[in-house]
Coordinates of all heavy atoms in Angstrom, one line a residue:
S213 N 15.6 20.0 14.9 CA 16.7 20.7 14.2 C 17.6 19.8 13.5 O 18.0 20.1 12.3 CB 17.6 21.5 15.3 OG 16.8 22.3 16.1
A214 N 17.9 18.6 14.0 CA 18.7 17.6 13.3 C 18.1 17.2 12.1 O 18.7 17.0 11.0 CB 19.1 16.5 14.3
F215 N 16.7 16.9 12.1 CA 16.0 16.5 10.9 C 16.1 17.5 9.8 O 16.1 17.2 8.7 CB 14.6 16.1 11.2 CG 14.4 14.7 11.8 CD1 14.1 14.5 13.1 CD2 14.7 13.6 11.0 CE1 14.0 13.2 13.6 CE2 14.6 12.3 11.4 CZ 14.3 12.1 12.8
S216 N 16.0 18.8 10.2 CA 15.9 19.8 9.1 C 17.3 20.3 8.8 O 17.5 21.1 7.9 CB 15.0 21.0 9.6 OG 15.2 21.3 10.9
D217 N 18.4 19.7 9.3 CA 19.7 20.0 9.0 C 20.3 19.0 8.0 O 20.7 17.9 8.3 CB 20.6 20.0 10.3 CG 22.0 20.4 10.0 OD1 22.5 20.4 8.8 OD2 22.8 20.7 11.0
E218 N 20.3 19.4 6.7 CA 20.6 18.5 5.6 C 22.0 17.9 5.8 O 22.3 16.8 5.5 CB 20.6 19.2 4.3 CG 19.2 19.5 3.8 CD 18.4 18.3 3.3 OE1 18.8 17.7 2.3 OE2 17.4 17.9 4.0
S219 N 22.9 18.7 6.4 CA 24.3 18.3 6.6 C 24.4 17.1 7.6 O 25.5 16.5 7.7 CB 25.2 19.4 7.0 OG 25.0 19.8 8.3
I220 N 23.4 16.9 8.3 CA 23.4 15.8 9.3 C 22.4 14.7 8.9 O 22.7 13.5 8.9 CB 22.9 16.4 10.7 CG1 24.0 17.2 11.3 CG2 22.4 15.3 11.6 CD1 25.2 16.4 11.9
N221 N 21.2 15.1 8.5 CA 20.1 14.2 8.1 C 20.5 13.2 7.0 O 20.4 12.0 7.2 CB 18.9 15.0 7.7 CG 17.7 14.2 7.5 OD1 17.8 12.9 7.5 ND2 16.5 14.8 7.5
K222 N 21.1 13.8 5.9 CA 21.5 12.9 4.8 C 22.6 11.9 5.1 O 22.3 10.7 5.0 CB 21.9 13.8 3.6 CG 20.8 14.4 2.9 CD 20.3 13.6 1.7 CE 18.8 13.7 1.4 NZ 18.4 15.1 1.1
P223 N 23.8 12.4 5.6 CA 24.8 11.4 5.8 C 24.5 10.4 6.9 O 25.0 9.3 7.0 CB 26.0 12.2 6.2 CG 25.5 13.5 6.6 CD 24.2 13.7 5.8
M224 N 23.6 10.8 7.9 CA 23.3 9.9 9.0 C 22.1 9.0 8.8 O 21.8 8.1 9.6 CB 23.1 10.7 10.3 CG 24.4 11.5 10.7 SD 24.3 12.0 12.4 CE 24.6 10.5 13.3
Y437 N 21.9 23.4 20.0 CA 22.0 22.5 18.8 C 23.4 22.3 18.4 O 23.8 21.2 17.9 CB 21.2 23.1 17.6 CG 21.3 22.1 16.4 CD1 20.8 20.8 16.5 CD2 21.8 22.5 15.2 CE1 21.0 19.9 15.5 CE2 21.9 21.7 14.1 CZ 21.5 20.3 14.3 OH 21.6 19.5 13.2
K441 N 24.8 18.7 17.5 CA 25.4 18.5 16.2 C 26.8 17.9 16.3 O 27.1 17.0 15.5 CB 25.4 19.8 15.4 CG 25.8 19.6 13.9 CD 25.6 20.9 13.1 CE 26.1 20.6 11.7 NZ 25.7 21.7 10.8

Side-chain angles (χ1 to χ4, degrees):
S213 305
F215 276 111
S216 43
D217 181 348
E218 289 287 293
S219 73
I220 287 287
N221 190 344
K222 282 267 149 61
M224 296 198 75
Y437 183 59
K441 181 170 180 168

